[in-house]
Amino acid sequence: MIATDDAMQLIAPTLDLPAGYGAALRRGGSPDNLRPAVAAQQLAQIAGDPEGFCAGFDDPRGQGGPVTRPDGRRVARPPSIRRWIWDDGICGTIGLRWQTGTEALPPGCPGHVGYAVVPWRRGEGLATAALRAVLPPARAVGLRWIEVTTDPGNAPFRRVIVKAGGVFAAPDPLPRATGGRDAVHYRIALSAEGGGGGTGSAR
Ligand SMILES: CC(C)(COP(=O)(O)OP(=O)(O)OC[C@H]1O[C@@H](n2cnc3c(N)ncnc32)[C@H](O)[C@@H]1OP(=O)(O)O)[C@@H](O)C(=O)NCCC(=O)NCCS
């Protein structure tokens, strides 16, 4: 568990909780807004191999099998930590992925962090609290900053990044890893060296 000052907590899945997570998936909560099929895949895994499902949530050494990116490419799985966003029930998921020893994004990965809140719990500040809560673990794995990417029209997501300290970096300066969509990039500094985005601005 990652403790926070808020009622919100980030928790690692345990065997008594996948059922609650499965109920959230069936109700329409998806852990991946770019790949809706992930919800059905996870429900199948929870039904068939709940232990494996829980164990696979954390992979800080990147030892899992290859992952299929939104653009269809299969790439090596980067080190990652994933957590459930919890506040009186499962409210969503947040994941951090990185490459060891560098802030460069893992190949094919649009950002260091991805998150989603179930539709019926949005607007409560949960995504903002969750994003703030993954910053210390990101610092702990050696990152001096993180990059967060979304499509330009995702106003709630952009607002969450700014509230968590993100600074606008640029529109689409990186190879498009979001399946060909336009993208905007933000940086969140984790140390003085991280810089806070230099000439960037909050937008
Ligand atoms: C983006 C998302 C995670 C936000 O979750 P959330 O828990 O509702 O976020 P928060 O409550 O912390 O903050 C949302 C902010 O966006 C604002 N917002 C909501 N809708 C908005 C809109 N249409 N235009 C502008 N701002 C908007 C809210 O007012 C709030 O800002 P405020 O606190 O200054 O009022 C959630 O909408 C979601 O899961 N979306 C689908 C998945 C997704 O897009 N993930 C991002 C890609 S990885």
Side-chain angles (χ1 to χ4, degrees):
M1 180 190 299
I2 299 174
T4 73
D5 292 336
D6 305 283
M8 190 282 312
Q9 294 179 324
L10 299 185
I11 60 171
T14 57
L15 278 178
D16 54 335
L17 289 176
Y21 182 66
L25 289 178
R26 280 189 291 275
R27 195 174 159 190
S30 172
D32 190 328
N33 64 313
L34 296 177
R35 295 179 298 158
V38 168
Q41 290 165 3
Q42 291 194 352
L43 281 169
Q45 195 183 2
I46 289 168
D49 179 16
E51 290 90 353
F53 175 78
C54 289
F57 245 68
D58 268 7
D59 187 13
R61 294 185 181 165
Q63 294 174 321
V67 60
T68 304
R69 300 306 315 167
D71 61 10
R73 280 185 296 156
R74 284 173 71 75
V75 298
R77 189 176 295 273
S80 65
I81 297 170
R82 286 184 292 161
R83 291 287 182 271
W84 282 337
I85 302 170
W86 176 276
D87 179 2
D88 193 26
I90 293 169
C91 303
T93 58
I94 186 162
L96 170 72
R97 54 260 172 164
W98 69 94
Q99 291 195 91
T100 304
T102 174
E103 283 77 20
L105 289 168
C109 194
H112 287 110
V113 179
Y115 47 84
V117 169
V118 294
W120 56 95
R121 294 295 303 266
R122 290 180 189 168
E124 299 180 31
L126 290 165
T128 306
L131 181 55
R132 288 177 177 148
V134 297
L135 302 183
R139 193 178 295 119
V141 301
L143 295 170
R144 293 169 297 173
W145 67 83
I146 58 170
E147 306 276 351
V148 193
T149 299
T150 188
D151 68 82
N154 195 337
F157 187 73
R158 296 179 69 165
R159 177 75 187 128
V160 166
I161 300 169
V162 170
K163 285 197 292 178
V167 175
F168 182 75
D172 226 6
L174 303 172
R176 292 183 187 182
T178 52
R181 296 173 174 83
D182 289 339
V184 289
H185 304 271
Y186 290 81
R187 175 181 288 197
I188 304 178
L190 303 177
S191 72
E193 291 173 282
T199 58
S201 59
R203 335 192 189 167

